[in-house]
Amino acid sequence: SFQIPRLGKEFDLLQIKDNHIVNIELKSGVVSDQAIRKQLIQNRYYLSVLGRPIQSYTYISSQNRLVRLTHHDHIVDADWERLCEDLQKEGTNYEGNIEDLFRAELYLISPITDPVRFLKKEYFLTSQQRDIEKKILRDIYAKQSGCFWFSGIPGTGKTLLLYDIAMKLSVRHRICMVHCEENGEKWRILHERLQRIDFLADEQIRIEKKSGSQNSGQDSSRDYDQKKQFNCEERKAGTQIPLEKYRGILVDEAHLLSKDKIERLLELSKEQPVIFSSDSEDVISSEERDKENIEKLENQTDIKVFRLTNRIRTNAELSTFIQNMMHLPPRMNSRGYPHIFVVYANDDVEAENLLSDYIKQGYQWVEIEESERQEAQADLKMQAVRDMDKIVLLLDERYYYDEEGYLRAACFMKNGSSYVRKIFHRLNHAKESIALVVKNNEKVYNTLLDLL
């Protein structure tokens, strides 16, 4: 009954040695060979990260039947002698903590950064993801319309879940995926392979009201095989596209949508399915959050809401620190943060030296300030900050903690966005280590030292 932490994936019996693995699943009632095969293949996928030969069996007690999975993925009856031989093979038993062998983040891929693995279906959803997907698809197939919204902190697998739903819906209908972050080049491989899914940027959502046509979303099957009306160049140019023609609209990073675009999508959901995916920003001060947009979703009476709680992508240490950094806990935890580094700079020169040193150590510098130099360097740098191993970030005089323990900024960006929100979302892309350079701000520096 071992369960991989944070994934909800359980095995009945495991024997792990340095040179092979034996997995035996136990069933009491009659189970079809197809169901047995599916489970053992899934188990083998999770065990394959250990890089050892795997022998997979299932025993059905009501039939006194033992079966095994062949190397060609077939289910065949097995004999007890062979099972005994597998269990008695020479090798050293693993005697450490089994949880150390299975890092949950190895199993969560991003369709954006790992499109090839996604297209090969080299992933499985967690039990929580599967449950949410099942409920959403059941309603969509029954009503052909409706509004759905799932949220969670970064790293809970929202994008993967959204794309998996898109793949299943596109089997029957032409749908579109709306992104609120610029990932045009990263979409290209998905666009080329997924012929029934259009990839749009949020600025391509038409705001005007519907024309009154009763044929919206009623594409015939012959339309699916026609050449797509809008190619990549038109999307890049920001051409606005009528969304009524799609039989499903899926929105990633919905917390970045403007209020009028959310209203437009909610209107469309009355006649076609619309699914929102967004980051949860509970640890950010209400003054720093763009509450109006999310509240528009929260106040809908006919929206189905789900929350992902199992964080997978980022390790628990970084996740806990980021949450506590954004909103100070009632009491400081005694746990350590060996992969979090906080250093102090008295002025610009010291800050530049410290940042340069971390960059030499392999850290990605995430600039928050909207400077002319940053704009000139291009989007390459900022767009690349998705799932970086190490991130270094500068906190200067503008930041402070309010009376409720929330990290705040004394001003907002030129475009009205919050510096704190940007910090929160950027830091959550770190996978291994975070370094914070605090410049001329002793109060924030001391507070962060208390956290550590």
Side-chain angles (χ1 to χ4, degrees):
S1 297
F2 167 67
Q3 190 174 89
I4 298 179
R6 293 179 283 162
L7 284 184
K9 174 59 189 171
E10 185 175 310
F11 304 89
D12 287 340
L13 295 172
L14 280 178
Q15 182 197 61
I16 300 178
K17 293 190 175 182
D18 58 351
N19 56 358
H20 77 280
I21 298 170
V22 178
N23 170 218
I24 307 174
E25 292 301 309
L26 307 175
K27 306 294 180 186
S28 56
V30 177
V31 184
S32 69
D33 284 5
Q34 182 179 0
I36 292 173
R37 175 179 177 272
K38 181 178 179 181
Q39 183 184 34
L40 292 182
I41 289 176
Q42 187 183 79
N43 287 7
R44 188 175 62 191
Y45 163 79
Y46 284 106
L47 295 169
S48 64
V49 299
L50 303 183
R52 307 168 198 182
I54 302 164
Q55 303 299 328
S56 305
Y57 293 87
T58 294
Y59 175 63
I60 307 100
S61 60
S62 61
Q63 298 175 303
N64 193 28
R65 183 186 179 207
L66 182 70
V67 299
R68 66 179 178 87
L69 181 71
T70 70
H71 295 304
H72 299 290
D73 294 345
H74 299 305
I75 293 297
V76 297
D77 287 321
D79 57 77
W80 291 97
E81 287 76 12
R82 173 162 182 167
L83 173 59
C84 290
E85 289 175 4
D86 286 336
L87 292 170
Q88 293 173 342
K89 281 181 181 177
E90 291 186 3
T92 303
N93 287 317
Y94 179 76
E95 296 181 354
N97 184 355
I98 189 172
E99 292 187 4
D100 294 340
L101 297 177
F102 299 92
R103 292 186 7 238
E105 55 266 28
L106 294 174
Y107 301 104
L108 181 65
I109 70 165
S110 167
I112 304 297
T113 56
D114 300 303
V116 175
R117 287 183 64 193
F118 175 76
L119 291 168
K120 290 181 178 178
K121 297 186 178 180
E122 293 181 356
Y123 66 91
F124 286 99
L125 300 182
T126 67
S127 56
Q128 186 183 41
Q129 288 171 320
R130 290 196 304 270
D131 184 55
I132 292 173
E133 180 179 79
K134 182 178 179 181
K135 292 175 180 176
I136 291 176
L137 291 177
R138 182 183 60 202
D139 278 12
I140 288 177
Y141 292 148
K143 302 176 183 176
Q144 298 300 313
S145 65
C147 189
F148 309 87
W149 174 34
F150 54 84
S151 65
I153 61 176
T156 47
K158 298 181 298 295
T159 299
L160 178 61
L161 174 57
L162 194 70
Y163 268 83
D164 196 69
I165 293 174
M167 291 280 279
K168 290 179 170 62
L169 289 176
S170 66
V171 171
R172 303 185 183 185
H173 305 293
R174 185 179 180 185
I175 65 171
C176 74
M177 179 77 71
V178 178
H179 280 267
C180 301
E181 282 189 333
E182 182 54 55
N183 287 302
E185 286 303 312
K186 297 175 182 178
W187 295 342
R188 187 172 295 277
I189 186 170
L190 296 172
H191 170 77
E192 291 171 352
R193 294 283 299 276
L194 303 177
Q195 294 299 306
R196 294 191 182 189
I197 303 177
D198 282 352
F199 296 89
L200 313 179
D202 60 319
E203 64 263 21
Q204 295 174 273
I205 299 175
R206 283 187 176 179
I207 305 302
E208 68 267 19
K209 300 297 182 181
K210 292 173 62 176
S211 62
S213 169
Q214 299 301 310
N215 296 321
S216 61
Q218 302 299 317
D219 301 41
S220 64
S221 59
R222 66 176 181 272
D223 292 329
Y224 300 147
D225 299 323
Q226 294 177 353
K227 182 180 178 180
K228 290 193 174 183
Q229 183 177 355
F230 300 96
N231 58 29
C232 292
E233 287 69 30
E234 287 172 313
R235 289 191 181 89
K236 196 170 183 180
T239 305
Q240 288 199 334
I241 295 174
L243 300 180
E244 292 88 348
K245 63 177 182 163
Y246 296 108
R247 299 296 298 275
I249 303 170
L250 296 88
V251 186
D252 197 16
E253 308 281 357
H255 53 279
L256 300 178
L257 280 176
S258 62
K259 181 181 177 182
D260 54 356
K261 288 175 181 176
I262 288 180
E263 290 177 346
R264 178 66 179 134
L265 291 168
L266 289 173
E267 178 189 357
L268 291 170
S269 70
K270 297 174 183 177
E271 296 189 17
Q272 59 199 116
V274 177
I275 305 173
F276 297 95
S277 169
S278 72
D279 282 350
S280 171
E281 299 180 338
D282 295 343
V283 294
I284 301 177
S285 165
S286 59
E287 289 82 4
E288 299 282 353
R289 287 201 305 263
D290 192 352
K291 289 195 306 178
E292 190 176 24
N293 295 346
I294 295 301
E295 284 179 349
K296 190 70 182 176
L297 292 176
E298 291 174 339
N299 294 333
Q300 296 298 308
T301 57
D302 54 352
I303 189 172
K304 297 287 182 65
V305 180
F306 306 92
R307 181 163 176 95
L308 285 159
T309 57
N310 298 329
R311 189 181 182 102
I312 304 167
R313 185 184 66 225
T314 306
N315 66 56
E317 176 196 338
L318 301 190
S319 174
T320 301
F321 177 81
I322 294 168
Q323 302 289 308
N324 290 341
M325 172 187 168
M326 290 292 127
H327 187 201
L328 299 176
R331 62 175 64 88
M332 297 302 180
N333 199 324
S334 59
R335 68 165 291 170
Y337 297 99
H339 299 93
I340 304 292
F341 304 95
V342 179
V343 295
Y344 193 79
N346 290 288
D347 50 40
D348 290 339
V349 175
E350 289 186 6
E352 194 72 35
N353 289 338
L354 288 166
L355 289 169
S356 298
D357 185 56
Y358 277 111
I359 291 171
K360 289 177 183 177
Q361 295 179 47
Y363 283 75
Q364 173 83 32
W365 178 21
V366 179
E367 286 188 271
I368 300 300
E369 181 62 64
E370 293 176 310
S371 63
E372 293 180 3
R373 180 170 62 87
Q374 178 182 324
E375 291 171 1
Q377 279 179 351
D379 304 319
L380 267 190
K381 187 170 189 179
M382 296 308 294
Q383 289 176 19
V385 184
R386 180 181 275 270
D387 298 348
M388 299 300 299
D389 289 338
K390 302 177 178 180
I391 283 179
V392 59
L393 186 142
L394 177 68
L395 297 174
D396 59 19
E397 302 95 326
R398 84 192 70 186
Y399 299 100
Y400 67 96
Y401 282 95
D402 64 16
E403 294 179 354
E404 296 180 347
Y406 286 102
L407 182 66
R408 300 285 310 281
C411 57
F412 285 84
M413 295 174 146
K414 298 174 184 177
N415 62 3
S417 299
S418 163
Y419 286 106
V420 173
R421 278 185 83 209
K422 195 164 187 178
I423 285 175
F424 174 67
H425 292 290
R426 294 304 186 193
L427 286 181
N428 273 293
H429 289 307
K431 293 195 294 185
E432 293 182 5
S433 182
I434 291 173
L436 300 173
V437 177
V438 183
K439 186 187 78 173
N440 195 25
N441 192 332
E442 291 187 16
K443 287 186 177 180
V444 167
Y445 178 65
N446 289 327
T447 302
L448 293 176
L449 290 186
D450 288 340
L451 269 180
L452 297 181

